[in-house]
Amino acid sequence: MKQKFKTAMTILIGIALCQTAAGTSLAADKTSKFRVYQDNQLLMEFYDQAKAKAYAAQFSDSHVELIGSRQWIWDNYPNYRLYQYDSSMPNWEFATLDAAKKEAANWGHASIRDLHTGGWVWNNYPHYRLYQGEATLDNWEFATLNEAKAEAAKWSRAHIIDLNTNEWVWDNIGDNEKSALRDGPKVYRVVQQNYTQDDWTFAYLEDAVNEALQWSHSSIVNTQSGETVYRNSTPYAVYQNQTELASFAGLNDAIAEAQKWAHASIVSDGRAIWNNTPYFAVYQHEDKIGEFAAIPQALNYAQQYSNSSIRTPDGISIWDNYRKLQYWGWNGVSDAGKIKDQTAHVIGLDVDSPSWFVLADSSGKLTDNSNVQAVQTLKQQGVAIHPLVSNQFDGALSSAFLANPAARQNFVKALVDRSSALGVDGINIDFESLNANSRANFTAFIKELADYAHQYELSVSVDLPRGSAAWNAKTAFDHEQLSGIVDYIVTMAYDQYYQGSTSPGSVSGLSWAEEGIQEFLAYGIPRDKLILGIPFYVREWKLQDDGKLVGSRAVYMKDVPALVAAKKPVMAWDEQFQQYRGEYTDGGYHYVFWLEDQATVEQRIALAKEYDLAG
């Protein structure tokens, strides 16, 4: 990242679209092919499927998907969920029905829902209630009549009510005792809502129950105590959406009716204890556009729409394809006024990198050109700040510095302490012209910097030239090691033809930039760490009539329209670089350049999308 080209804002676009990249060498290709998510949060990338699955297995509600197609190849989402009434707990999710039943046995009024079919597959709601006279206990609820009878045998004058019909179905009261009770005072009155009749009074409770069963929504009141001792009610109401369809005394009857309707629910005592609404809802933005019983169907549908997500009834998003374009920019200056001018009219800028810090000497002294006013301005604009740190592009100076652990420690401490005091968000390292013998020392320096910076919650990014895998091992930059240390790696995908080139050519041909992406990914750099540098300049080459190269100059993109208007070059499409080539003659010299414009920037953005890069 040449310092003189950073005066123009280099915009890096962050995309979250997918397509698997092809590596440069099959044997050494470590291009990530799998992503591990917990719900919709990306955890890590892998090139090895087994390692991806093993990592994902450490987390609940996780899945592994193919980069590109976003097809799920593994997940550990639960198949069953346990409820008590209408409530559930985070740990009440299970892979198997047996495991769910084992936990459910500890709770009354429990149900188990199959998350892929809707409705219940098991419940222990009671069907019978035991009474001794008018009295009952909370735990005198039973799933079967035999269970109720077994408990009733312990008590005299007991009877059992079938909760599905409200009928008196069993008692251990003898005929003689029943006759005696019927001869007693008539204390049990049947009431239908607020209506009653004189002949609706009884001395024996069973007789009152049999009368009440003839009248819907009736109850029995003990006229001496004033207590309601029985209700012929229908506590289970079936709804479709917000409309009540019917109500039932028994839960089984209510479920049978509810299953006839889509979007049905059963409400009891104000609680929606059952529903058949599909568990996985697909949203586009905040609009629900589909519902599905299983994840594969939801995923297939959601992928047809942009800005879509899959959510559970709890509102948890387990997948989304939201597109957050992240823009990074380098100022190339430290002056607060110029930074303000550059960023004031930039829409959507996420990260700004002012040129504030420089390695001053081999002892690790820090030159600090930072500006508190610029920090305040950028924060007011909602822009994160990652100041650029350079090495004067001096190889000898850098080698001496990097070889000295004490100097590195001094520099790291001064840099991180100052950055933390400023309140910036990260640090961007742009050390260039390094000697190959500094490879291990540079990696050690970045590790020391990242370790200390992360203590202050500062991210670290490093700018690396677009190189070639064929000779990468001979450079100062160990891509694979660095990618495991820093938060971002910026690939400077420009200077294909640079100031020192012996022949003219494009600053960054599109196929050359794409090859660079493939090579960086092949080093094993995760896609969510890789940022693609876009050149916001062209190089104009000056040649003699015989074609001999005289020199070149950089022209910023913002100045190219004026150049075209003034010189009126002949423009022709260059298939090699996939750009327009401009040529004109002036003052006895021939000039040529390859155009960087909105169209070529959009093509570079398309590459970031295609390879699913971080920025």
Side-chain angles (χ1 to χ4, degrees), residues 215-233:
W215 311 98
S216 61
H217 302 291
S218 61
S219 59
I220 299 172
V221 176
N222 185 320
T223 57
Q224 291 182 342
S225 66
E227 297 292 328
T228 298
V229 297
Y230 169 89
R231 296 181 188 277
N232 180 26
S233 58

Side-chain angles (χ1 to χ4, degrees), residues 34-48:
F34 308 96
R35 277 182 168 160
V36 175
Y37 289 81
Q38 186 176 42
D39 289 325
N40 65 341
Q41 298 300 309
L42 174 63
L43 299 181
M44 194 170 289
E45 296 182 359
F46 295 85
Y47 69 91
D48 182 89

Side-chain angles (χ1 to χ4, degrees), residues 290-303:
E291 294 176 326
F292 299 88
I295 291 175
Q297 288 77 16
L299 192 60
N300 289 339
Y301 185 77
Q303 287 180 328

Side-chain angles (χ1 to χ4, degrees), residues 451-468:
D451 286 347
Y452 191 44
H454 288 162
Q455 293 180 30
Y456 291 87
E457 298 184 352
L458 295 169
S459 70
V460 175
S461 57
V462 60
D463 305 338
L464 301 180
R466 164 14 189 141
S468 170

Side-chain angles (χ1 to χ4, degrees), residues 332-574:
V333 296
S334 59
D335 180 74
K338 291 182 179 179
I339 292 172
K340 182 177 181 179
D341 289 342
Q342 287 180 354
T343 60
H345 303 293
V346 177
I347 298 173
L349 184 66
D350 293 300
V351 177
D352 187 73
S353 184
S355 298
W356 280 348
F357 300 117
V358 182
L359 174 65
D361 57 36
S362 61
S363 71
K365 182 180 179 181
L366 176 70
T367 299
D368 178 6
N369 298 314
S370 62
N371 188 290
V372 175
Q373 182 182 352
V375 172
Q376 295 172 344
T377 297
L378 291 169
K379 283 187 174 294
Q380 288 173 355
Q381 296 173 352
V383 177
I385 308 161
H386 294 216
L388 181 135
V389 185
S390 67
N391 64 335
Q392 303 184 51
F393 302 157
D394 186 325
L397 165 67
S398 300
S399 292
F401 160 71
L402 291 170
N404 186 339
R408 299 199 307 257
Q409 183 178 9
N410 293 338
F411 186 76
V412 165
K413 188 175 189 315
L415 174 61
V416 172
D417 288 351
R418 178 55 177 163
S419 298
S420 178
L422 285 168
V424 302
D425 305 278
I427 297 169
N428 175 239
I429 301 298
D430 185 23
F431 275 30
E432 300 188 31
S433 302
L434 297 184
N435 297 322
N437 59 11
S438 295
R439 184 179 178 93
N441 290 334
F442 181 71
T443 301
F445 162 62
I446 295 298
K447 178 70 164 60
E448 293 156 2
L449 172 61
D451 286 347
Y452 191 44
H454 288 162
Q455 293 180 30
Y456 291 87
E457 298 184 352
L458 295 169
S459 70
V460 175
S461 57
V462 60
D463 305 338
L464 301 180
R466 164 14 189 141
S468 170
W471 47 262
N472 172 259
K474 300 177 181 179
T475 73
F477 305 113
D478 189 332
H479 292 72
E480 186 172 351
Q481 291 295 318
L482 292 172
S483 70
I485 296 170
V486 300
D487 302 285
Y488 294 102
I489 286 181
V490 182
T491 172
M492 297 182 283
Y494 38 82
D495 278 356
Q496 178 181 5
Y497 287 79
Y498 58 100
Q499 189 173 16
S501 295
T502 57
S503 61
S506 170
V507 167
S508 178
L510 288 174
S511 60
W512 180 84
E514 182 174 9
E515 290 168 2
I517 294 172
Q518 293 173 348
E519 289 182 338
F520 268 57
L521 291 175
Y523 296 137
I525 299 172
R527 298 164 191 268
D528 65 331
K529 285 190 176 184
L530 186 58
I531 293 176
L532 174 66
I534 294 178
F536 266 39
Y537 67 97
V538 303
R539 184 161 291 281
E540 182 186 61
W541 305 87
K542 182 178 180 180
L543 300 94
Q544 296 177 166
D545 287 341
D546 59 2
K548 183 179 180 179
L549 180 63
V550 176
S552 66
R553 70 181 181 112
V555 181
Y556 301 128
M557 272 181 62
K558 66 184 181 64
D559 298 324
V560 170
L563 172 67
V564 172
K567 303 301 182 180
K568 295 180 173 54
V570 175
M571 306 299 294
W573 180 254
D574 189 320

